Amino acid sequence: MSEPEFLRARRPEHKQQRREAILAAARELALRSGVRTVSLRAVAAAAGLAKSNVVRYFGTREEIYLELAAEEWQGWKQAVTERLRASDGPGGVVDALAETLEERPLLCDLLGYAAALEHNVSLDAARAFKVVLLDVGAEIGAEVARAGELTDGEGLELVGTASALAAFLYPTAHPPPVLAELYAQEPWIAAARPPFLPTLKRALTAFLAGLPTLRPRQGTD
């Protein structure tokens, strides 16, 4: 199969189109079967490219998914910000964080797999991802702090806790086929599987309630 004309071109906008086609293919495959199952060869085939062409833009499959993780992280910031600015008072903070995470299965999947993705990337790719993670995380934390009557540091802690819990809970609540079959055969085992959204909200509510109690008291060392 020959590549489309724009993919053979050398102009910057055409190169950007190729990058976007690769990312779109990787996104679709991950949403369909999970990040862990997707190979670089599968991404290349879905994008209509040879594997050798894909690596001109992304050295490894992990670099593709790190870039998607950065995009998803930025999208989460926008969603959380919109929810918080439309909500009334601190009570909306937990709902805003938890519900926007539930709406983003790819982000939750990537959060759980981020540490593994960082094992096979270039220094530049790792740096770019970490910069986005830290900068955007601080921005979300500041929004959470304003809405929840917290310090910026506490807001960042709550955001970090939300993302870490989502990374843990998402694969548990969305098991692979073998476990899904086991749960269907053994309901008593399935009963021990925590539901994603209620568990996340309960944990974040408890964490949020505890944050102010950990503040240093005035007049103490």
Side-chain angles (χ1 to χ4, degrees):
M1 179 184 299
S2 62
E3 297 177 14
E5 181 64 29
F6 80 86
L7 292 175
R8 296 199 301 269
R10 299 290 182 241
R11 294 172 60 180
E13 61 268 30
H14 293 166
K15 292 181 179 180
Q16 183 60 30
Q17 286 177 321
R18 176 177 282 188
R19 286 181 62 87
E20 290 173 359
I22 294 168
L23 290 169
R27 178 186 295 275
E28 177 61 29
L29 289 171
L31 285 170
R32 188 184 309 160
S33 59
V35 174
R36 293 176 184 271
T37 69
V38 183
S39 68
L40 187 61
R41 188 177 301 279
V43 173
L49 301 170
K51 182 178 175 181
S52 59
N53 286 332
V54 173
V55 297
R56 294 176 186 173
Y57 294 86
F58 301 94
T60 63
R61 66 176 287 277
E62 288 78 9
E63 289 189 10
I64 296 173
Y65 282 110
L66 273 192
E67 183 152 336
L68 283 176
E71 289 184 4
E72 287 289 312
W73 192 246
Q74 291 168 321
W76 185 43
K77 181 197 78 170
Q78 181 177 352
V80 171
T81 299
E82 291 174 355
R83 283 286 300 271
L84 290 176
R85 293 181 179 179
S87 65
D88 296 322
V93 168
V94 166
D95 287 347
L97 290 171
E99 291 173 7
T100 53
L101 280 167
E102 185 190 41
E103 293 165 0
R104 286 165 173 73
L106 180 56
L107 174 60
C108 293
D109 192 11
L110 287 165
L111 286 172
Y113 198 45
L117 292 177
E118 293 173 339
H119 279 259
N120 190 30
V121 297
S122 68
L123 182 62
D124 287 344
R127 180 183 293 110
F129 174 67
K130 288 298 189 184
V131 167
V132 170
L133 195 68
L134 293 173
D135 287 351
V136 174
E139 291 172 4
I140 304 173
E143 291 288 345
V144 166
R146 281 191 287 271
E149 299 177 2
L150 302 169
T151 67
D152 282 355
E154 290 167 345
L156 182 57
E157 282 187 82
L158 187 59
V159 169
T161 299
S163 60
L165 285 170
F168 169 75
L169 288 171
Y170 182 81
T172 305
H174 300 82
V178 170
L179 285 183
E181 183 177 353
L182 173 64
Y183 294 153
Q185 294 178 3
E186 306 287 352
W188 68 274
I189 297 178
R193 179 182 57 175
F196 182 82
L197 189 59
T199 306
L200 181 57
K201 284 188 176 184
R202 181 178 174 82
L204 290 180
T205 299
F207 189 83
L208 176 59
L211 278 173
T213 71
L214 300 176
R215 292 172 183 165
R217 295 182 180 179
Q218 292 185 350
T220 61
D221 294 333

Short mmCIF file of all heavy atoms in Angstrom, two decimals, residues 9-73:
data_model
loop_
_atom_site.label_atom_id
_atom_site.label_comp_id
_atom_site.label_asym_id
_atom_site.label_seq_id
_atom_site.Cartn_x
_atom_site.Cartn_y
_atom_site.Cartn_z
N ALA A 9 5.77 14.02 1.78
CA ALA A 9 6.28 15.38 1.65
C ALA A 9 7.23 15.72 2.79
O ALA A 9 7.28 15.05 3.81
CB ALA A 9 5.13 16.37 1.61
N ARG A 10 7.96 16.79 2.61
CA ARG A 10 8.94 17.21 3.60
C ARG A 10 8.56 18.52 4.28
O ARG A 10 9.28 18.99 5.14
CB ARG A 10 10.31 17.36 2.93
CG ARG A 10 10.84 16.07 2.32
CD ARG A 10 11.23 15.09 3.42
NE ARG A 10 11.77 13.87 2.86
CZ ARG A 10 11.23 12.68 3.05
NH1 ARG A 10 10.11 12.56 3.75
NH2 ARG A 10 11.78 11.60 2.53
N ARG A 11 7.47 19.14 3.90
CA ARG A 11 7.08 20.41 4.49
C ARG A 11 6.68 20.21 5.94
O ARG A 11 6.12 19.17 6.31
CB ARG A 11 5.94 21.02 3.68
CG ARG A 11 6.36 21.43 2.27
CD ARG A 11 5.18 21.85 1.43
NE ARG A 11 4.48 22.99 2.04
CZ ARG A 11 3.40 23.55 1.49
NH1 ARG A 11 2.88 23.03 0.38
NH2 ARG A 11 2.82 24.59 2.07
N PRO A 12 6.95 21.21 6.81
CA PRO A 12 6.66 21.06 8.25
C PRO A 12 5.21 20.67 8.54
O PRO A 12 4.96 19.84 9.42
CB PRO A 12 6.99 22.44 8.81
CG PRO A 12 8.00 23.00 7.87
CD PRO A 12 7.62 22.48 6.52
N GLU A 13 4.26 21.27 7.82
CA GLU A 13 2.87 20.95 8.12
C GLU A 13 2.53 19.51 7.77
O GLU A 13 1.69 18.87 8.40
CB GLU A 13 1.91 21.91 7.40
CG GLU A 13 2.00 21.89 5.89
CD GLU A 13 2.99 22.92 5.34
OE1 GLU A 13 3.97 23.24 6.04
OE2 GLU A 13 2.75 23.40 4.21
N HIS A 14 3.21 18.98 6.76
CA HIS A 14 2.98 17.60 6.38
C HIS A 14 3.61 16.64 7.38
O HIS A 14 3.06 15.57 7.68
CB HIS A 14 3.51 17.34 4.98
CG HIS A 14 2.76 18.09 3.91
ND1 HIS A 14 3.24 18.23 2.62
CD2 HIS A 14 1.58 18.74 3.96
CE1 HIS A 14 2.36 18.95 1.91
NE2 HIS A 14 1.35 19.27 2.71
N LYS A 15 4.77 17.02 7.91
CA LYS A 15 5.38 16.21 8.95
C LYS A 15 4.50 16.19 10.20
O LYS A 15 4.37 15.15 10.84
CB LYS A 15 6.77 16.76 9.29
CG LYS A 15 7.78 16.60 8.16
CD LYS A 15 9.14 17.15 8.58
CE LYS A 15 10.15 16.98 7.46
NZ LYS A 15 11.49 17.49 7.84
N GLN A 16 3.90 17.32 10.52
CA GLN A 16 3.00 17.38 11.66
C GLN A 16 1.78 16.50 11.43
O GLN A 16 1.29 15.84 12.36
CB GLN A 16 2.58 18.82 11.94
CG GLN A 16 1.69 19.00 13.17
CD GLN A 16 2.35 18.53 14.45
OE1 GLN A 16 3.57 18.58 14.59
NE2 GLN A 16 1.55 18.05 15.39
N GLN A 17 1.29 16.47 10.21
CA GLN A 17 0.16 15.60 9.89
C GLN A 17 0.53 14.14 10.11
O GLN A 17 -0.29 13.34 10.58
CB GLN A 17 -0.29 15.83 8.45
CG GLN A 17 -1.05 17.13 8.25
CD GLN A 17 -1.42 17.35 6.80
OE1 GLN A 17 -0.64 17.06 5.89
NE2 GLN A 17 -2.61 17.88 6.57
N ARG A 18 1.76 13.77 9.76
CA ARG A 18 2.19 12.39 9.96
C ARG A 18 2.24 12.07 11.45
O ARG A 18 1.77 11.01 11.88
CB ARG A 18 3.55 12.15 9.32
CG ARG A 18 4.10 10.76 9.58
CD ARG A 18 5.41 10.51 8.87
NE ARG A 18 5.19 10.22 7.46
CZ ARG A 18 6.17 9.81 6.65
NH1 ARG A 18 7.40 9.67 7.11
NH2 ARG A 18 5.91 9.56 5.38
N ARG A 19 2.80 12.96 12.23
CA ARG A 19 2.85 12.76 13.68
C ARG A 19 1.44 12.58 14.25
O ARG A 19 1.19 11.69 15.07
CB ARG A 19 3.54 13.94 14.38
CG ARG A 19 5.04 14.01 14.21
CD ARG A 19 5.60 15.21 14.97
NE ARG A 19 5.35 15.11 16.40
CZ ARG A 19 6.13 14.46 17.26
NH1 ARG A 19 7.22 13.85 16.83
NH2 ARG A 19 5.83 14.42 18.54
N GLU A 20 0.53 13.42 13.82
CA GLU A 20 -0.84 13.34 14.32
C GLU A 20 -1.52 12.04 13.90
O GLU A 20 -2.30 11.47 14.66
CB GLU A 20 -1.63 14.55 13.83
CG GLU A 20 -1.19 15.86 14.48
CD GLU A 20 -1.85 17.07 13.88
OE1 GLU A 20 -2.65 16.90 12.92
OE2 GLU A 20 -1.58 18.19 14.35
N ALA A 21 -1.19 11.56 12.70
CA ALA A 21 -1.76 10.29 12.25
C ALA A 21 -1.25 9.13 13.10
O ALA A 21 -2.01 8.21 13.45
CB ALA A 21 -1.41 10.05 10.78
N ILE A 22 0.01 9.17 13.46
CA ILE A 22 0.59 8.13 14.32
C ILE A 22 -0.05 8.16 15.70
O ILE A 22 -0.45 7.13 16.26
CB ILE A 22 2.12 8.30 14.41
CG1 ILE A 22 2.76 8.05 13.05
CG2 ILE A 22 2.70 7.36 15.47
CD1 ILE A 22 4.22 8.47 12.96
N LEU A 23 -0.16 9.35 16.26
CA LEU A 23 -0.76 9.49 17.58
C LEU A 23 -2.22 9.05 17.59
O LEU A 23 -2.69 8.40 18.53
CB LEU A 23 -0.64 10.93 18.07
CG LEU A 23 0.78 11.40 18.42
CD1 LEU A 23 0.80 12.91 18.62
CD2 LEU A 23 1.29 10.69 19.66
N ALA A 24 -2.96 9.40 16.54
CA ALA A 24 -4.37 9.02 16.45
C ALA A 24 -4.51 7.50 16.38
O ALA A 24 -5.40 6.92 17.02
CB ALA A 24 -5.02 9.67 15.24
N ALA A 25 -3.63 6.86 15.61
CA ALA A 25 -3.68 5.40 15.50
C ALA A 25 -3.37 4.75 16.84
O ALA A 25 -4.04 3.79 17.27
CB ALA A 25 -2.70 4.92 14.44
N ALA A 26 -2.35 5.26 17.53
CA ALA A 26 -1.97 4.71 18.83
C ALA A 26 -3.08 4.91 19.85
O ALA A 26 -3.36 4.03 20.67
CB ALA A 26 -0.68 5.36 19.31
N ARG A 27 -3.73 6.06 19.81
CA ARG A 27 -4.83 6.34 20.73
C ARG A 27 -5.97 5.35 20.52
O ARG A 27 -6.51 4.78 21.47
CB ARG A 27 -5.33 7.76 20.52
CG ARG A 27 -6.51 8.14 21.39
CD ARG A 27 -7.03 9.53 21.02
NE ARG A 27 -6.05 10.55 21.30
CZ ARG A 27 -5.89 11.13 22.49
NH1 ARG A 27 -6.69 10.78 23.50
NH2 ARG A 27 -4.97 12.04 22.68
N GLU A 28 -6.35 5.14 19.27
CA GLU A 28 -7.47 4.26 18.96
C GLU A 28 -7.17 2.82 19.39
O GLU A 28 -8.02 2.14 19.97
CB GLU A 28 -7.76 4.31 17.46
CG GLU A 28 -8.88 3.37 17.00
CD GLU A 28 -10.22 3.68 17.64
OE1 GLU A 28 -10.46 4.86 17.99
OE2 GLU A 28 -11.02 2.74 17.81
N LEU A 29 -5.96 2.36 19.13
CA LEU A 29 -5.59 0.99 19.51
C LEU A 29 -5.60 0.82 21.02
O LEU A 29 -6.06 -0.20 21.54
CB LEU A 29 -4.20 0.66 18.95
CG LEU A 29 -4.12 0.47 17.44
CD1 LEU A 29 -2.66 0.37 17.00
CD2 LEU A 29 -4.89 -0.77 16.99
N ALA A 30 -5.10 1.82 21.74
CA ALA A 30 -5.06 1.73 23.20
C ALA A 30 -6.46 1.73 23.80
O ALA A 30 -6.74 1.00 24.75
CB ALA A 30 -4.23 2.88 23.77
N LEU A 31 -7.33 2.56 23.26
CA LEU A 31 -8.70 2.60 23.76
C LEU A 31 -9.42 1.28 23.49
O LEU A 31 -10.28 0.86 24.27
CB LEU A 31 -9.46 3.76 23.10
CG LEU A 31 -9.11 5.16 23.62
CD1 LEU A 31 -9.75 6.23 22.73
CD2 LEU A 31 -9.59 5.33 25.07
N ARG A 32 -9.03 0.64 22.42
CA ARG A 32 -9.69 -0.61 22.04
C ARG A 32 -9.21 -1.79 22.88
O ARG A 32 -10.01 -2.63 23.30
CB ARG A 32 -9.43 -0.90 20.56
CG ARG A 32 -10.23 -2.07 19.98
CD ARG A 32 -9.81 -2.33 18.56
NE ARG A 32 -9.83 -1.11 17.74
CZ ARG A 32 -9.17 -0.96 16.60
NH1 ARG A 32 -8.43 -1.96 16.13
NH2 ARG A 32 -9.25 0.16 15.92
N SER A 33 -7.90 -1.87 23.15
CA SER A 33 -7.38 -3.07 23.80
C SER A 33 -6.40 -2.82 24.95
O SER A 33 -5.89 -3.77 25.53
CB SER A 33 -6.68 -3.96 22.75
OG SER A 33 -5.62 -3.24 22.13
N GLY A 34 -6.14 -1.55 25.29
CA GLY A 34 -5.23 -1.25 26.39
C GLY A 34 -3.82 -0.97 25.91
O GLY A 34 -3.33 -1.57 24.95
N VAL A 35 -3.16 -0.05 26.60
CA VAL A 35 -1.82 0.38 26.20
C VAL A 35 -0.83 -0.78 26.18
O VAL A 35 0.00 -0.90 25.28
CB VAL A 35 -1.31 1.49 27.16
CG1 VAL A 35 0.14 1.85 26.86
CG2 VAL A 35 -2.20 2.72 27.06
N ARG A 36 -0.92 -1.66 27.17
CA ARG A 36 0.06 -2.73 27.30
C ARG A 36 0.09 -3.67 26.09
O ARG A 36 1.10 -4.29 25.80
CB ARG A 36 -0.24 -3.56 28.55
CG ARG A 36 -0.02 -2.81 29.86
CD ARG A 36 -0.43 -3.66 31.05
NE ARG A 36 -0.33 -2.92 32.29
CZ ARG A 36 0.75 -2.85 33.05
NH1 ARG A 36 1.83 -3.51 32.67
NH2 ARG A 36 0.76 -2.15 34.15
N THR A 37 -1.03 -3.78 25.39
CA THR A 37 -1.12 -4.77 24.31
C THR A 37 -0.66 -4.23 22.97
O THR A 37 -0.54 -5.00 22.01
CB THR A 37 -2.57 -5.26 24.16
OG1 THR A 37 -3.38 -4.19 23.64
CG2 THR A 37 -3.13 -5.72 25.50
N VAL A 38 -0.42 -2.93 22.87
CA VAL A 38 -0.17 -2.31 21.56
C VAL A 38 1.32 -2.31 21.24
O VAL A 38 2.13 -1.82 22.02
CB VAL A 38 -0.71 -0.88 21.52
CG1 VAL A 38 -0.50 -0.27 20.13
CG2 VAL A 38 -2.19 -0.84 21.89
N SER A 39 1.67 -2.84 20.07
CA SER A 39 3.06 -2.85 19.62
C SER A 39 3.30 -1.70 18.65
O SER A 39 2.36 -1.13 18.08
CB SER A 39 3.38 -4.17 18.93
OG SER A 39 2.66 -4.27 17.70
N LEU A 40 4.57 -1.38 18.45
CA LEU A 40 4.93 -0.35 17.48
C LEU A 40 4.51 -0.77 16.07
O LEU A 40 4.04 0.06 15.28
CB LEU A 40 6.43 -0.09 17.53
CG LEU A 40 6.95 1.08 16.69
CD1 LEU A 40 6.34 2.40 17.14
CD2 LEU A 40 8.48 1.15 16.78
N ARG A 41 4.64 -2.03 15.78
CA ARG A 41 4.24 -2.54 14.46
C ARG A 41 2.73 -2.34 14.23
O ARG A 41 2.29 -1.97 13.14
CB ARG A 41 4.60 -4.02 14.33
CG ARG A 41 4.41 -4.59 12.92
CD ARG A 41 4.86 -6.05 12.88
NE ARG A 41 6.25 -6.20 13.26
CZ ARG A 41 7.27 -5.99 12.44
NH1 ARG A 41 7.04 -5.64 11.18
NH2 ARG A 41 8.51 -6.16 12.86
N ALA A 42 1.95 -2.57 15.29
CA ALA A 42 0.50 -2.40 15.18
C ALA A 42 0.15 -0.93 14.94
O ALA A 42 -0.75 -0.61 14.16
CB ALA A 42 -0.19 -2.91 16.43
N VAL A 43 0.85 -0.03 15.63
CA VAL A 43 0.61 1.40 15.42
C VAL A 43 0.94 1.79 13.99
O VAL A 43 0.17 2.52 13.34
CB VAL A 43 1.45 2.24 16.42
CG1 VAL A 43 1.33 3.72 16.09
CG2 VAL A 43 1.00 1.99 17.85
N ALA A 44 2.07 1.31 13.49
CA ALA A 44 2.47 1.62 12.12
C ALA A 44 1.42 1.13 11.13
O ALA A 44 1.03 1.86 10.20
CB ALA A 44 3.83 1.00 11.82
N ALA A 45 0.95 -0.10 11.32
CA ALA A 45 -0.04 -0.65 10.41
C ALA A 45 -1.34 0.15 10.46
O ALA A 45 -1.95 0.44 9.42
CB ALA A 45 -0.30 -2.12 10.75
N ALA A 46 -1.77 0.53 11.66
CA ALA A 46 -3.01 1.29 11.80
C ALA A 46 -2.90 2.67 11.18
O ALA A 46 -3.89 3.23 10.70
CB ALA A 46 -3.38 1.40 13.27
N ALA A 47 -1.69 3.23 11.19
CA ALA A 47 -1.47 4.55 10.60
C ALA A 47 -1.19 4.48 9.10
O ALA A 47 -1.09 5.51 8.44
CB ALA A 47 -0.30 5.24 11.29
N GLY A 48 -1.09 3.26 8.55
CA GLY A 48 -0.80 3.10 7.13
C GLY A 48 0.63 3.39 6.77
O GLY A 48 0.93 3.84 5.66
N LEU A 49 1.55 3.12 7.70
CA LEU A 49 2.97 3.41 7.50
C LEU A 49 3.81 2.18 7.72
O LEU A 49 3.38 1.22 8.37
CB LEU A 49 3.42 4.51 8.48
CG LEU A 49 2.71 5.85 8.43
CD1 LEU A 49 3.13 6.69 9.61
CD2 LEU A 49 3.04 6.56 7.11
N ALA A 50 5.03 2.24 7.23
CA ALA A 50 6.01 1.22 7.58
C ALA A 50 6.57 1.54 8.96
O ALA A 50 6.63 2.71 9.36
CB ALA A 50 7.15 1.21 6.56
N LYS A 51 6.97 0.52 9.68
CA LYS A 51 7.53 0.72 11.01
C LYS A 51 8.73 1.66 10.96
O LYS A 51 8.92 2.50 11.85
CB LYS A 51 7.92 -0.63 11.61
CG LYS A 51 8.46 -0.56 13.02
CD LYS A 51 8.78 -1.96 13.53
CE LYS A 51 9.44 -1.92 14.90
NZ LYS A 51 9.78 -3.28 15.39
N SER A 52 9.54 1.54 9.92
CA SER A 52 10.73 2.39 9.79
C SER A 52 10.36 3.86 9.66
O SER A 52 11.13 4.74 10.05
CB SER A 52 11.56 1.95 8.58
OG SER A 52 10.79 2.03 7.39
N ASN A 53 9.19 4.15 9.10
CA ASN A 53 8.75 5.53 8.99
C ASN A 53 8.27 6.08 10.33
O ASN A 53 8.48 7.25 10.64
CB ASN A 53 7.62 5.65 7.96
CG ASN A 53 8.12 5.52 6.53
OD1 ASN A 53 9.27 5.84 6.25
ND2 ASN A 53 7.27 5.03 5.65
N VAL A 54 7.65 5.22 11.13
CA VAL A 54 7.18 5.67 12.43
C VAL A 54 8.34 6.07 13.32
O VAL A 54 8.28 7.09 14.03
CB VAL A 54 6.34 4.56 13.11
CG1 VAL A 54 5.99 4.95 14.54
CG2 VAL A 54 5.06 4.30 12.31
N VAL A 55 9.42 5.30 13.30
CA VAL A 55 10.54 5.58 14.20
C VAL A 55 11.30 6.84 13.81
O VAL A 55 12.15 7.31 14.56
CB VAL A 55 11.51 4.37 14.30
CG1 VAL A 55 10.80 3.17 14.88
CG2 VAL A 55 12.13 4.05 12.95
N ARG A 56 11.02 7.40 12.65
CA ARG A 56 11.60 8.70 12.33
C ARG A 56 10.98 9.80 13.18
O ARG A 56 11.57 10.86 13.36
CB ARG A 56 11.38 9.02 10.85
CG ARG A 56 12.12 8.09 9.89
CD ARG A 56 11.76 8.42 8.46
NE ARG A 56 12.35 7.47 7.52
CZ ARG A 56 12.10 7.44 6.22
NH1 ARG A 56 11.25 8.32 5.71
NH2 ARG A 56 12.67 6.55 5.44
N TYR A 57 9.79 9.55 13.67
CA TYR A 57 9.07 10.55 14.46
C TYR A 57 9.03 10.21 15.94
O TYR A 57 9.05 11.10 16.79
CB TYR A 57 7.65 10.70 13.91
CG TYR A 57 7.65 11.27 12.52
CD1 TYR A 57 7.79 10.45 11.40
CD2 TYR A 57 7.55 12.64 12.33
CE1 TYR A 57 7.81 11.00 10.13
CE2 TYR A 57 7.57 13.19 11.06
CZ TYR A 57 7.70 12.36 9.96
OH TYR A 57 7.74 12.89 8.69
N PHE A 58 8.95 8.93 16.24
CA PHE A 58 8.95 8.45 17.62
C PHE A 58 9.89 7.25 17.67
O PHE A 58 9.64 6.24 17.01
CB PHE A 58 7.56 8.03 18.06
CG PHE A 58 6.53 9.14 17.98
CD1 PHE A 58 5.74 9.28 16.84
CD2 PHE A 58 6.36 10.03 19.02
CE1 PHE A 58 4.80 10.29 16.75
CE2 PHE A 58 5.42 11.04 18.95
CZ PHE A 58 4.64 11.18 17.81
N GLY A 59 10.93 7.35 18.48
CA GLY A 59 11.92 6.28 18.49
C GLY A 59 11.38 4.95 18.95
O GLY A 59 11.84 3.89 18.51
N THR A 60 10.39 4.97 19.84
CA THR A 60 9.82 3.75 20.39
C THR A 60 8.31 3.92 20.60
O THR A 60 7.80 5.05 20.57
CB THR A 60 10.45 3.41 21.77
OG1 THR A 60 10.13 4.47 22.69
CG2 THR A 60 11.97 3.28 21.66
N ARG A 61 7.63 2.82 20.83
CA ARG A 61 6.20 2.90 21.13
C ARG A 61 5.98 3.67 22.44
O ARG A 61 4.98 4.37 22.61
CB ARG A 61 5.57 1.51 21.24
CG ARG A 61 6.08 0.68 22.40
CD ARG A 61 5.37 -0.67 22.53
NE ARG A 61 4.03 -0.53 23.04
CZ ARG A 61 3.73 -0.42 24.34
NH1 ARG A 61 4.69 -0.40 25.25
NH2 ARG A 61 2.48 -0.32 24.72
N GLU A 62 6.94 3.52 23.37
CA GLU A 62 6.81 4.22 24.64
C GLU A 62 6.83 5.74 24.44
O GLU A 62 6.12 6.47 25.15
CB GLU A 62 7.94 3.79 25.58
CG GLU A 62 7.80 2.39 26.14
CD GLU A 62 8.20 1.29 25.16
OE1 GLU A 62 8.76 1.62 24.08
OE2 GLU A 62 7.98 0.12 25.46
N GLU A 63 7.62 6.23 23.50
CA GLU A 63 7.63 7.67 23.25
C GLU A 63 6.30 8.16 22.70
O GLU A 63 5.85 9.27 23.00
CB GLU A 63 8.77 8.02 22.30
CG GLU A 63 10.14 7.88 22.94
CD GLU A 63 11.27 8.44 22.08
OE1 GLU A 63 10.97 9.10 21.06
OE2 GLU A 63 12.44 8.21 22.42
N ILE A 64 5.66 7.33 21.89
CA ILE A 64 4.33 7.68 21.39
C ILE A 64 3.36 7.84 22.55
O ILE A 64 2.63 8.84 22.66
CB ILE A 64 3.80 6.60 20.42
CG1 ILE A 64 4.68 6.51 19.18
CG2 ILE A 64 2.34 6.89 20.04
CD1 ILE A 64 4.32 5.34 18.27
N TYR A 65 3.38 6.87 23.46
CA TYR A 65 2.41 6.91 24.56
C TYR A 65 2.76 7.93 25.64
O TYR A 65 1.86 8.43 26.32
CB TYR A 65 2.21 5.50 25.12
CG TYR A 65 1.31 4.70 24.22
CD1 TYR A 65 1.79 3.63 23.46
CD2 TYR A 65 -0.03 5.05 24.07
CE1 TYR A 65 0.97 2.93 22.61
CE2 TYR A 65 -0.86 4.35 23.21
CZ TYR A 65 -0.36 3.29 22.48
OH TYR A 65 -1.18 2.61 21.61
N LEU A 66 4.03 8.28 25.77
CA LEU A 66 4.37 9.38 26.66
C LEU A 66 3.80 10.69 26.13
O LEU A 66 3.31 11.53 26.90
CB LEU A 66 5.88 9.51 26.84
CG LEU A 66 6.54 8.69 27.94
CD1 LEU A 66 7.98 9.16 28.15
CD2 LEU A 66 5.79 8.74 29.26
N GLU A 67 3.87 10.88 24.82
CA GLU A 67 3.29 12.10 24.25
C GLU A 67 1.77 12.11 24.41
O GLU A 67 1.18 13.15 24.72
CB GLU A 67 3.67 12.24 22.77
CG GLU A 67 3.17 13.53 22.17
CD GLU A 67 4.01 14.04 21.02
OE1 GLU A 67 5.21 13.70 20.95
OE2 GLU A 67 3.47 14.79 20.20
N LEU A 68 1.15 10.96 24.22
CA LEU A 68 -0.30 10.90 24.44
C LEU A 68 -0.64 11.13 25.91
O LEU A 68 -1.64 11.78 26.23
CB LEU A 68 -0.84 9.54 24.00
CG LEU A 68 -1.01 9.34 22.49
CD1 LEU A 68 -1.46 7.91 22.20
CD2 LEU A 68 -2.00 10.33 21.91
N ALA A 69 0.20 10.65 26.82
CA ALA A 69 -0.03 10.89 28.24
C ALA A 69 0.04 12.38 28.54
O ALA A 69 -0.77 12.90 29.33
CB ALA A 69 1.00 10.13 29.08
N ALA A 70 0.99 13.08 27.93
CA ALA A 70 1.09 14.53 28.14
C ALA A 70 -0.16 15.23 27.60
O ALA A 70 -0.69 16.15 28.24
CB ALA A 70 2.34 15.06 27.45
N GLU A 71 -0.64 14.80 26.44
CA GLU A 71 -1.86 15.40 25.88
C GLU A 71 -3.06 15.13 26.79
O GLU A 71 -3.89 16.03 27.03
CB GLU A 71 -2.13 14.82 24.49
CG GLU A 71 -1.16 15.29 23.42
CD GLU A 71 -1.53 14.76 22.04
OE1 GLU A 71 -2.59 14.08 21.94
OE2 GLU A 71 -0.78 15.02 21.09
N GLU A 72 -3.17 13.91 27.28
CA GLU A 72 -4.30 13.56 28.16
C GLU A 72 -4.23 14.34 29.47
O GLU A 72 -5.26 14.77 30.00
CB GLU A 72 -4.27 12.05 28.45
CG GLU A 72 -4.68 11.19 27.27
CD GLU A 72 -6.16 11.31 26.98
OE1 GLU A 72 -6.98 11.22 27.91
OE2 GLU A 72 -6.52 11.51 25.80
N TRP A 73 -3.04 14.53 29.99
CA TRP A 73 -2.84 15.29 31.23
C TRP A 73 -3.30 16.73 31.05
O TRP A 73 -3.97 17.30 31.91
CB TRP A 73 -1.38 15.22 31.59
CG TRP A 73 -0.97 15.68 32.96
CD1 TRP A 73 -0.19 16.76 33.24
CD2 TRP A 73 -1.26 15.08 34.22
NE1 TRP A 73 0.02 16.86 34.60
CE2 TRP A 73 -0.63 15.85 35.22
CE3 TRP A 73 -2.00 13.96 34.61
CZ2 TRP A 73 -0.73 15.54 36.58
CZ3 TRP A 73 -2.10 13.65 35.96
CH2 TRP A 73 -1.47 14.44 36.93
#
